[in-house]
Amino acid sequence: MHFTKDHEWVRLEGDVATVGITAHAAHQLGDVVFVEVPEAGKTVGKGDSFAVVESVKAASDVYAPVSGEVIEGNATLATVPETVNADAEGEGWFAKIRVSDASAIDGLMDRAAYDAYLASL
Amino acid sequence: MTDETLKTTVLNAAHRALGARMVGFGGYDMPVQYEGVLAEHRWTREHAGLFDVSHMGQCKITGADAIDQFQRFVPGDYHALKAGKQKYSLLLNEQGGIIDDLMAGKPDHDGLFVVVNAGNKDEDFAFWSERLSGDAKLTVLDDRALIAIQGPEAAEVMIAHEPVLAEFGFMDCARLMLFGVDCYVSRSGYTGEDGYEISVPAADAERVWNLLLEDARVKPIGLGARDSLRLEAGLPLHGDDIDPTTSPVEGALTFALSKSRKEAADFNGAERILKELADGPSRLRVGLSVKEGAPAREGAEIADVDGNVIGKVTSGGPSPTLGRNIAMGYVPPSHAALGTDLKVIVRGKAAAAEVIDMPFVAQRYYRKPKA
């Protein structure tokens, strides 16, 4: 699993990246009450706002950590948004993206680097 | 704003000791949440929530001319207000716009005790300093903290400390010895629940705060839940839902206009306000049920069913009690009737909404049985 400084995670299997927000981000947001995930077929560029997560207090953009075509948005989050709080780095994934370039995750942090980054905040 | 420029309340260390997440609000470093907004919201609706609202402004306006002078700028009848009662009112500019909303009462025989919003207090105090004349005198009580206890168990908790508080009905207030110190207390609040607001000397605030938290029915509640509670209660937030351009008629706050004062028409902005009462305002604050999609928050556009933009949401979000999204905002009176179908536009998507009555969640203020 790889991580961005914006607190997204990516798990790349073949050319499909599963992406979500980190447990740290979910904790910071507090109670998640609404998630808007992208629909299949949408093309996203690295750094684009591709999803929105809302806590009781505020809406936050989620930025695509990789470029590619969305092949699935996590429909569960529409009805059970609190999954993001319960299992941010598992069942709380946001979308699966077919990456156009597998080197997309080069330059992202691994777990140890992300933990060190969190400790530095 | 950086943390260095934020002011602190005397309870700042107590919040940090409780693990609160702190944010800047109204120029103060305040707790937005402790364990989580939803849990705190629900705790307040079911038990008793403790709030630090010491960032708000407290003052007294005293002197033989106090009420006459105060009333030049507010539309409530404070001559008619009985001792031991308080009343919600609005500080108005000459155009009838709302400079601030406030609570003013007669807890003792020494003029009015007034509580104003944090973000507006310096402006309010300057306003009065410049304009109060005759024998009226403003005294800012910046050596006091303000603690609110709210929820269905709040009264039991407080009555255990001071039995006389059982005699209080909604909006009753007094100056009395509480927790061994000189306090101003009123049975009121900003959550729609029964509860009390207690002004305590700053030096005693932490002791009182911790003493109240010793009761298992009481938990500390942050500003996050304070905001979702007041939204459910249909109460406006100054700066968002009402501001110096908004009249009391537009803001759906005509209950704050006393009949005698309307007849006398002797307060700031009376001309505009009376005209709007007679002819109707050009816009009106309404409650909205957002029937689908994302929460509609401040700034979201409100459109008619044909998609024509007719207004804006001024505050909104999920209602933890109702389990759906609610909002308040301004629309023309032609679209303000209960049951009117509208749309709210969130991130470019239009979602169905309907004008519904406020409060969204029934208020549970304690009213004394008639003797």
Side-chain angles (χ1 to χ4, degrees):
Chain A
M1 201 179 259
H2 289 75
F3 302 89
T4 71
K5 285 190 170 179
D6 291 328
H7 309 288
E8 291 102 13
W9 58 264
V10 184
R11 192 174 62 238
L12 189 63
E13 291 157 303
D15 64 349
V16 175
T18 304
V19 301
I21 64 169
T22 66
H24 168 81
H27 180 72
Q28 287 295 314
L29 283 167
D31 305 296
V32 172
V33 295
F34 181 86
V35 183
E36 191 173 289
V37 297
E39 290 174 6
K42 183 180 167 136
T43 302
V44 298
K46 184 173 180 171
D48 290 352
S49 169
F50 84 118
V52 177
V53 57
E54 302 217 18
S55 65
V56 182
K57 284 305 295 162
S60 308
D61 286 317
V62 182
Y63 302 98
V66 292
S67 302
E69 184 190 338
V70 175
I71 56 173
E72 185 183 357
N74 186 355
T76 302
L77 300 188
T79 49
V80 198
E82 56 270 31
T83 307
V84 177
N85 292 116
D87 191 12
E89 296 177 17
E91 293 302 312
W93 60 276
F94 278 37
K96 293 180 191 295
I97 299 173
R98 178 165 287 124
V99 296
S100 38
D101 177 2
S103 70
I105 62 166
D106 294 350
L108 299 185
M109 293 176 275
D110 63 12
R111 173 74 71 180
Y114 180 64
D115 286 346
Y117 170 66
L118 288 183
S120 76
L121 296 179
Chain B
M1 191 177 277
T2 62
D3 287 347
E4 290 77 43
T5 66
L6 291 174
K7 291 178 274 191
T8 56
T9 75
V10 291
L11 292 169
N12 194 273
H15 301 314
R16 292 180 180 276
L18 289 163
R21 187 181 297 171
M22 307 296 286
V23 295
F25 183 87
Y28 282 79
D29 184 46
M30 296 300 287
V32 65
Q33 64 172 62
Y34 301 85
E35 62 174 309
V37 175
L38 283 179
E40 291 166 32
H41 183 111
R42 290 181 180 133
W43 186 269
T44 306
R45 288 269 182 255
E46 291 165 14
H47 304 283
L50 195 64
F51 301 76
D52 175 18
V53 284
S54 304
H55 56 316
M56 296 181 77
Q58 303 177 55
C59 68
K60 290 207 79 168
I61 297 176
T62 55
D65 301 326
I67 290 177
D68 278 340
Q69 288 297 310
F70 180 71
Q71 289 197 159
R72 289 167 58 200
F73 315 108
V74 304
D77 188 345
Y78 283 86
H79 280 299
L81 189 71
K82 289 180 185 150
K85 297 292 286 186
Q86 70 171 15
K87 192 178 175 71
Y88 173 84
S89 202
L90 304 161
L91 182 61
L92 299 172
N93 60 30
E94 288 175 6
Q95 293 75 42
I98 302 168
I99 298 170
D100 204 355
D101 62 344
L102 55 82
M103 281 285 192
K106 295 177 174 171
D108 52 17
H109 296 286
D110 186 25
L112 296 168
F113 172 75
V114 186
V115 177
V116 301
N117 283 303
N120 300 56
K121 66 181 178 186
D122 293 340
E123 191 186 339
D124 297 349
F125 295 154
F127 182 95
W128 283 317
S129 292
E130 287 162 18
R131 291 172 179 79
L132 294 178
S133 59
D135 196 24
K137 179 172 169 257
L138 170 75
T139 308
V140 176
L141 304 175
D142 49 13
D143 55 352
R144 287 186 166 268
L146 192 65
I147 294 171
I149 182 167
Q150 303 279 296
E153 293 177 348
E156 292 166 40
V157 171
M158 289 301 294
I159 291 163
H161 288 282
E162 176 47 68
V164 77
L165 293 175
E167 308 294 319
F168 281 51
F170 182 54
M171 292 295 211
D172 283 350
C173 65
R175 181 174 190 172
L176 49 84
M177 292 297 281
L178 208 54
F179 311 106
V181 286
D182 171 28
C183 292
Y184 293 97
V185 59
S186 64
R187 195 159 188 171
S188 65
Y190 194 47
T191 61
E193 295 292 331
D194 182 24
Y196 302 83
E197 289 197 350
I198 312 148
S199 165
V200 300
D204 297 279
E206 193 161 346
R207 178 178 60 84
V208 170
W209 174 265
N210 289 328
L211 187 64
L212 288 168
L213 283 179
E214 281 175 18
D215 193 307
R217 294 169 288 194
V218 183
K219 282 190 178 184
I221 309 297
L223 292 177
R226 181 170 160 84
D227 192 55
S228 53
L229 289 159
R230 73 92 199 161
L231 176 66
E232 287 185 342
L235 301 169
L237 175 63
H238 193 272
D240 288 352
D241 302 302
I242 49 175
D243 64 34
T245 71
T246 322
S247 78
V249 185
E250 292 175 330
L253 299 169
T254 51
F255 71 89
L257 308 171
S258 295
K259 187 165 177 278
S260 59
R261 302 297 311 283
K262 284 188 283 188
E263 286 167 3
D266 59 351
F267 51 89
N268 255 8
E271 192 183 345
R272 170 189 176 185
I273 291 165
L274 295 174
K275 185 170 188 311
E276 287 182 354
L277 281 173
D279 303 341
S282 60
R283 56 177 178 161
L284 196 58
R285 182 171 65 97
V286 296
L288 297 172
S289 171
V290 179
K291 296 172 162 179
E292 57 190 14
R297 302 183 190 273
E298 181 190 358
E301 289 178 324
I302 302 171
D304 64 18
V305 287
D306 298 323
N308 303 303
V309 173
I310 57 169
K312 260 191 184 162
V313 168
T314 49
S315 61
S319 160
T321 305
L322 302 173
R324 57 189 170 81
N325 295 323
I326 54 175
M328 52 177 85
Y330 283 84
V331 297
S334 56
H335 292 73
L338 297 183
T340 304
D341 286 323
L342 296 172
K343 290 180 185 297
V344 289
I345 302 169
V346 181
R347 294 186 289 277
K349 282 185 194 160
E354 180 187 339
V355 177
I356 60 169
D357 205 6
M358 292 188 285
F360 300 104
V361 172
Q363 291 162 343
R364 297 197 284 188
Y365 304 134
Y366 175 73
R367 299 188 195 270
K368 275 193 295 192
K370 289 226 162 73

